Amino acid sequence: MKKYDFDQVISRKNTDSVKWSRYPDEVLPLWVADMDFPSPPEVAAAIQERLDHPFFGYAGDDKPLIETICEWVYRHHGWKIQPEWVLLMSGVVTGMNWVAQSFLHPGDSLCFHTPVYPPFFHISEYVGVSRIEIPMVVQDNQYQIDFEKFEKTLNSSTKLFVLCNPHNPVGRVFTKPELECINTICLKHNVMICSDEIHCELIFSGHSHIPLASISEEAAQNSITLMAPSKTFNIPGLHFSFAVVPNQKHREQMEKSRRGVIGCPSMLANEAARAVYTHSENWLEQLLNYLEGNRDYLMDYLKTHLPEIKVIKPEGSYLAWLDCRELNMQSDPYNFFLYKAKVALNDGRSFGENGSGFVRLNFGCPRSILTDALVRMASAVRSG
Ligand SMILES: Cc1ncc(COP(=O)(O)O)c(C=O)c1O
């Protein structure tokens, strides 16, 4: 079995990487959800092979690729999907806005739980509807959905619930009973679900990802699932993702609203997706081991050297949601760590009002980079 070296540090400077170009050179970037590991070698090989044929005309329907996606989703998530349910698109953020554009009208509202991935907040603004933010609660040392509040908050104008599962930034992988509660509440109130499951293969031991739509036929008919190989295999710049839409009327509506607006991935992105979904299982297995090691290392480091920073163990993804409120900082933690530690994290305030006092750290990097960042952060805190 081929062994991959996730410890290897490869410079990404001058590669048009947003992660590595936003801040000055002395700043270590652990912010945007983009890992510092090369994608599986099959990606470059597949693209290279395609480049050997110098024709790049319009692509047709890539039926074999859609079959490959269906097989992947069944193999990894136990969810049997039909090829006609799969709509290809260039990004999951595009997908959530496409869903909102397709089904919401002026006067409607959409809702989601906070803190959450910042683009969730923009959907309502782009579509011209109102937005209901429902804060999650911490119970039994874990982020939970407050189901009573969820149900009470929905009103007759609420037409769409946007779920983030696995959850960015808190790292929850929702359980079947939780998904069943979400589904029951949404069905009862005629609220459609858009389930962003982009992190669905990045799951740590003891947990498993369940697509919300797979829990029942009613759930499938009332939801649209957004998935992609982009986080799993670190290829977000190639722009390949897909929506799974089991409900025929929903599909027709989305096909109608895509016209002239929502494009498909490029043929090179198709090659990359086909390659990872066919050949990169072994890479993924080793990546998950490495990420889990990084997560545990991070938890231990914080407990020993920065005990004022609290973090609830992520169950999936490579993001840690750091609660810095006990540091009682003069400034916010994002600016403190950026200017005093030269470490760029994500500002918790962009994930919702309840993100104040938090930062998000991306531990999808070689351990030496993670260690460097943590040492810088601990020494900045000690020196005030
Ligand atoms: C929950 C979630 N959804 C969507 C995205 C972005 O997806 P895309 O790049 O396909 O638009 C991210 C990226 O970090 C994410 O964390």
Side-chain angles (χ1 to χ4, degrees), residues 32-34 90-96 116-117 119-120 164-168 196-199 227-228 230-231 236-237 239-241 318-319 360:
V32 62
D34 173 327
S90 59
V92 164
V93 171
T94 300
M96 55 181 92
V116 81
Y117 178 54
F120 278 45
C164 191
N165 179 38
H167 191 277
N168 171 2
D196 174 348
E197 304 188 9
I198 195 169
H199 294 274
M227 290 179 165
S230 47
K231 298 292 142 182
H239 293 288
F240 183 98
S241 58
Y318 46 80
L319 307 166
R360 191 192 72 176

Side-chain angles (χ1 to χ4, degrees), residues 83-114:
E84 62 272 21
W85 300 356
V86 177
L87 308 182
L88 300 186
M89 58 194 184
S90 59
V92 164
V93 171
T94 300
M96 55 181 92
N97 284 290
W98 179 17
V99 170
Q101 289 284 1
S102 302
F103 300 103
L104 298 180
H105 306 283
D108 290 345
S109 62
L110 61 80
C111 66
F112 50 81
H113 295 116
T114 61

Side-chain angles (χ1 to χ4, degrees), residues 35 39-40 72 229-235 276-277 280 283-284:
M35 297 187 282
S39 53
W72 173 270
S230 47
K231 298 292 142 182
T232 314
F233 297 104
N234 209 30
I235 50 172
V276 291
Y277 282 154
S280 303
W283 184 92
L284 176 56

